[in-house]
Amino acid sequence: MKDFKSYASEQPDKKPADGNSGQTGAYNNTVELAKILSKAMNGKSESQILHTIITEAERGKREGTLTNQDLDNFYTALSPLIDGIKKRKLKEVITKLKNI
């Protein structure tokens, strides 16, 4: 799995089709990010995915390439795709990562 920042570079640079600045573009970016993440995680177990996310995030935080805002954005993009228990677990992981 790549680091968090590399996913942003794979997203197409789209402008909102309806002229709205911001919301539609943010939605399109979130959808694209979800597609990229789904492809990267395909065939991996839940524990492998969680381990990879934590490992990459810890590395990014220690290197200074991953900010708390990046973590919040990641949670916001991923949380609608998972159920309540997994969402709560992801929130706990994000909180711990923010304290690194």
Side-chain angles (χ1 to χ4, degrees), residues 13-61:
D13 186 22
K14 295 182 179 177
K15 297 202 188 275
D18 63 359
N20 278 343
S21 58
Q23 283 189 329
T24 304
Y27 175 79
N28 287 340
N29 288 339
T30 301
V31 170
E32 291 302 316
L33 176 60
K35 288 178 187 177
I36 292 166
L37 288 173
S38 296
K39 184 178 176 184
M41 308 278 176
N42 189 25
K44 294 185 180 175
S45 72
E46 180 181 331
S47 63
Q48 288 173 316
I49 293 168
L50 187 59
H51 176 73
T52 302
I53 289 170
I54 292 170
T55 301
E56 289 300 316
E58 285 177 345
R59 185 176 59 77
K61 285 288 285 187

Side-chain angles (χ1 to χ4, degrees), residues 5 10-11 20 29 35 39 43 49 59 63 72 75 86-87 97:
K5 297 281 186 182
E10 288 186 23
Q11 297 178 31
N20 278 343
N29 288 339
K35 288 178 187 177
K39 184 178 176 184
I49 293 168
R59 185 176 59 77
E63 292 176 355
D72 287 337
Y75 176 79
K86 292 175 184 170
K87 190 181 296 189
L97 290 170

